[in-house]
Amino acid sequence: MKRVALITAPMWIAAVMLFFADIKPVPTPDEGPVLPAGVPQDPSSRAAWLEAEIKRARAAAAASERKAAALEEAMKRGPGPMEVALDNLPAQHALAAVAAAA
């Protein structure tokens, strides 16, 4: 019996925690769709807001694509003189430890 109590103790602890968690049902909207904060209620202004959000998202995507293209170009050029100098050092283990500590 002690073994069963020991094995099922986590289950009983979880059950008690759920019982006292004060879980409430999801509220249902009384009228119309529930919109996120900042979204206008009027359909015409909501369309303008959505167009502005789309423009903002497209600008962010274009900036991300430019950053990715710049990184790809940097990777194609190969290592710089500092990387080459560090790679040519015979014992990099101490240097790696210093870099990891910094």
Side-chain angles (χ1 to χ4, degrees):
M1 185 67 182
K2 289 181 182 179
R3 189 174 187 194
V4 172
L6 181 66
I7 292 172
T8 61
M11 175 189 68
W12 291 111
I13 292 170
V16 169
M17 288 176 68
L18 283 174
F19 182 74
F20 288 113
D22 194 28
I23 298 173
K24 297 176 183 158
V26 177
T28 57
D30 293 335
E31 56 186 55
V34 177
L35 299 173
V39 178
Q41 296 291 333
D42 182 38
S44 61
S45 58
R46 193 178 317 153
W49 175 84
L50 184 58
E51 288 176 5
E53 287 293 315
I54 290 172
K55 283 182 184 178
R56 198 173 306 136
R58 286 183 178 155
S64 180
E65 287 177 10
R66 284 192 303 271
K67 286 180 184 177
L71 287 173
E72 282 181 17
E73 198 60 39
M75 293 298 290
K76 287 180 184 176
R77 281 183 278 179
M82 189 65 173
E83 287 103 355
V84 172
L86 288 175
D87 286 341
N88 290 334
L89 288 175
Q92 294 185 19
H93 302 292
L95 184 63
V98 169

